Amino acid sequence: MVADKVAGMARIAVIGAGMGAMAAAARLAVAGHRVAVYERTETYGGAVRRLERDGFAFDTGPGLLTLPAVYRDLFVKTGKEPLESVVELVQVDPSTRHVFADGTEVSLPNASRAGVVSALDEALGSDSGARWGDFLVRAREAWDRTRRPLLEEPLWPNWSVLADREPYPSVPHKKLLRTRRAGTLAEVGAWELRDPRLVALLESHALAYGLDPRLTPASAAVLPYMEHAFGTWYVRGGMRELARAVYERCVARRVEFHFGAEATGVLEKDGRAAGLELAGGEAVAEADFVVAGVAPDVLSRCVRGTAVREDGAVPPLRGLPSRLTVLVALRGGRPEGAAHRTVVHAEDRERELDLLFGSPWGLDARPTLTVLRPDDPGVVPGPDREAITLTATVPAYAGRAWPASEVFDSHADKLITAAERAVPDIRERLLWREVRVPADIEEATGAEGGAVPAPALAAAEGRLLHPANTTGLSGLFTVGGWSHPGGGLPHAGMSGALVAGLIVEGPEFRGSR
């Protein structure tokens, strides 16, 4: 029956208008199917939102892009107009400025191994660059071993192979006269990098995705490797412009969008998905396939009477933290030569990790903080103003009472204090600030507690894999950050390609070659 549906024009209902869902919708429409997207809120983009006030514009979700090739491929496969013709991609250089707990600073060039090695040697002392460079070589080996199964192919039916095998290579240990294999990212840092500043540099990549480096598998070495190998990019006008471009590509391919249309149920007929029930109980959208770009709890509420995931399948990922974002409008222009991204490292990392991932959870007054200062006239009202975004990982509040708004307001002030290590005059220039809390993320994405999905990673008994794009209900597929291959803008785009391939080519689809 699936083959018959795909041979002609199928009706496809998509739940949600996040980046993965729109990527799938555009690809399916080009394949000749009739696609309708039903979005609970009044806009598209999922977590990729924008706040505008007094001529300032801020990204309230992701602020930078890695692996732009994912979206270049989307635009090539869905029309003759390339990505660069609808958005302006700017390679960020330096990739990141790091301000460490001891006051040491280093600015790392974008996508230049030799430049990074030289910068680290100069800032942290000789041999620092060599240790980081050797680490990147091993990280590339982990990347080469996991790239296809974790990013480019549907999740393997025998996914336990990915769960049991650590792709990060063993490292010779001179004193022990043998090799040893790191089990966690923290062990990679302690055994191979040794310098606490290099360790902080490594672990900040995991922390940015809400992962505890003490428990995160060594395979997470692919996260800094992706940035090193493929560069860090900014979309002129903000990342919301990428969401706009994907939405407009969908519209150009005749995808129908219904905003303010909440899916409350997935209809079943003859043992397969047959459409959607919409809020109100009367509206029904019939379909041959349903693609769900929503968080696991939302999908579970929509599917009644059938297990979303079969026995033995990868379970939905739980317990991930959220983000607190402070949007800061400043008087005075952006200083020439200011780094686009600065990571201000925690003064006490163990305390920070204990508060984030221990019990009871809490907010660290001086956490690891990302400061974004885009060199973009399009996000400020004039040359004498600057827009800065501060982001820190904070606990999600799934199943717990939300803190009073005053708690987050107070913490936002502490983040501004912490940001003075990167922007010394931030308080003197402050015009106003807006705070985005986990509840705002929950409202935008439906994820309980405002949790933010992490990319899929191998090893660790499969704890950081995400459920397959297929489900226990025939004709129902999942897309976006909460399904394979996990969270992050590139991964969301790849999930759209996987779902489109599974629907168009059927279960024999094995990914692009």
Side-chain angles (χ1 to χ4, degrees):
M1 179 175 180
V2 172
D4 292 341
K5 291 295 184 185
V6 174
M9 182 180 72
R11 299 167 301 174
I12 300 174
V14 179
I15 308 175
M19 297 297 283
M22 291 196 295
R27 290 177 182 271
L28 289 166
V30 166
H33 303 300
R34 181 179 174 183
V35 185
V37 176
Y38 298 87
E39 166 58 43
R40 173 181 56 86
T41 71
E42 297 298 330
T43 189
Y44 54 83
V48 186
R49 300 291 180 94
R50 176 161 56 200
L51 179 136
E52 297 181 359
R53 174 180 163 184
D54 300 340
F56 290 87
F58 300 88
D59 286 320
T60 60
L64 293 171
L65 177 66
T66 55
L67 284 177
V70 172
Y71 288 93
R72 290 191 180 112
D73 181 74
L74 171 64
F75 276 74
V76 167
K77 299 290 176 58
T78 59
K80 297 180 180 179
E81 193 177 34
L83 174 62
E84 278 82 355
S85 69
V86 291
V87 298
E88 183 182 353
L89 283 174
V90 181
Q91 196 166 20
V92 176
D93 201 10
S95 171
T96 315
R97 171 190 173 210
H98 289 270
V99 180
F100 297 106
D102 66 355
T104 308
E105 297 186 17
V106 62
S107 293
L108 301 182
N110 202 340
S112 169
R113 184 180 185 276
V116 167
V117 168
S118 176
L120 288 172
D121 279 344
E122 183 177 348
L124 308 186
S126 61
D127 196 43
S128 297
R131 288 201 297 274
W132 184 258
D134 291 344
F135 158 74
L136 288 176
V137 172
R138 292 186 286 272
R140 177 177 179 172
E141 189 171 333
W143 167 261
D144 289 340
R145 290 174 175 175
T146 60
R147 175 178 57 85
R148 283 205 60 80
L150 281 186
L151 299 181
E152 299 176 3
E153 299 177 343
L155 187 66
W156 291 348
N158 61 332
W159 59 267
S160 60
V161 174
L162 296 172
D164 297 337
R165 183 180 302 165
E166 173 54 71
Y168 188 80
S170 301
V171 178
H173 188 275
K174 296 178 181 178
K175 292 183 179 180
L176 299 180
L177 299 178
R178 61 179 174 82
T179 62
R180 59 181 178 185
R181 186 181 297 276
T184 67
L185 203 64
E187 288 177 343
V188 171
W191 295 353
E192 302 171 30
L193 299 178
R194 300 189 293 278
D195 187 312
R197 296 162 298 185
L198 290 179
V199 173
L201 170 58
L202 171 65
E203 293 185 350
S204 66
H205 288 273
L207 193 58
Y209 286 104
L211 300 174
D212 185 347
R214 301 170 300 185
L215 301 175
T216 301
S219 64
V222 300
L223 300 177
Y225 175 77
M226 282 170 54
E227 286 198 10
H228 164 76
F230 306 108
T232 304
W233 301 78
Y234 173 69
V235 177
R236 187 74 67 188
M239 209 55 60
R240 179 67 177 178
E241 286 299 293
L242 179 62
R244 174 198 55 77
V246 175
Y247 167 72
E248 290 180 354
R249 176 55 55 93
C250 287
V251 172
R253 299 300 171 261
R254 299 186 178 180
V255 175
E256 299 176 7
F257 281 84
H258 304 271
F259 294 106
E262 181 178 5
T264 56
V266 174
L267 301 177
E268 299 181 37
K269 183 177 181 181
D270 299 328
R272 62 175 286 115
L276 301 179
E277 179 181 289
L278 303 177
E282 298 179 1
V284 169
E286 295 183 352
D288 303 306
F289 298 92
V290 173
V291 176
V294 293
D297 293 326
V298 177
L299 181 60
S300 295
R301 291 194 294 269
C302 288
V303 179
R304 298 183 285 268
T306 301
V308 177
R309 302 295 175 187
E310 298 172 323
D311 291 341
V314 174
L317 200 57
R318 306 285 185 184
L320 289 172
S322 186
R323 307 286 183 271
L324 183 70
T325 303
V326 186
L327 313 173
V328 183
L330 300 181
R331 61 175 59 88
R334 179 181 184 272
E336 184 176 354
H340 187 121
R341 174 173 61 178
T342 299
V343 174
V344 178
H345 291 269
E347 296 182 359
D348 186 340
R349 184 173 299 277
E350 282 300 315
R351 170 182 165 78
E352 176 186 31
L353 297 179
D354 287 342
L355 286 170
L356 271 175
F357 304 106
S359 181
W361 291 344
L363 300 173
D364 188 357
R366 295 293 182 92
T368 300
L369 177 69
T370 299
V371 181
L372 296 183
R373 308 179 74 178
D375 182 11
D376 186 352
V379 301
V380 290
D384 60 343
R385 293 291 184 266
E386 183 178 9
I388 293 182
T389 302
L390 312 178
T391 306
T393 300
V394 298
Y397 288 85
R400 301 190 302 160
W402 292 101
S405 59
E406 293 81 5
V407 173
F408 285 126
D409 284 340
S410 174
H411 195 57
D413 285 334
K414 294 173 184 176
L415 294 190
I416 291 176
T417 298
E420 290 178 332
R421 293 170 60 198
V423 189
D425 58 354
I426 187 170
R427 285 198 181 277
E428 301 166 19
R429 298 169 56 200
L430 182 66
L431 290 170
W432 49 263
R433 62 171 175 80
E434 294 266 1
V435 183
R436 287 292 174 268
V437 302
D440 296 308
I441 297 175
E442 182 179 75
E443 170 59 27
T445 68
E448 186 178 6
V452 178
L457 294 171
E461 301 179 340
R463 287 185 292 103
L464 291 175
L465 294 176
H466 288 264
N469 306 105
T470 54
T471 69
L473 178 61
S474 179
L476 173 65
F477 298 82
T478 60
V479 73
W482 292 105
S483 60
H484 181 73
L489 276 174
H491 297 70
M494 285 183 268
S495 75
L498 293 175
V499 167
L502 288 165
I503 291 176
V504 172
E505 298 186 28
E508 69 276 7
F509 175 69
R510 291 296 178 266
S512 58
R513 294 291 177 180

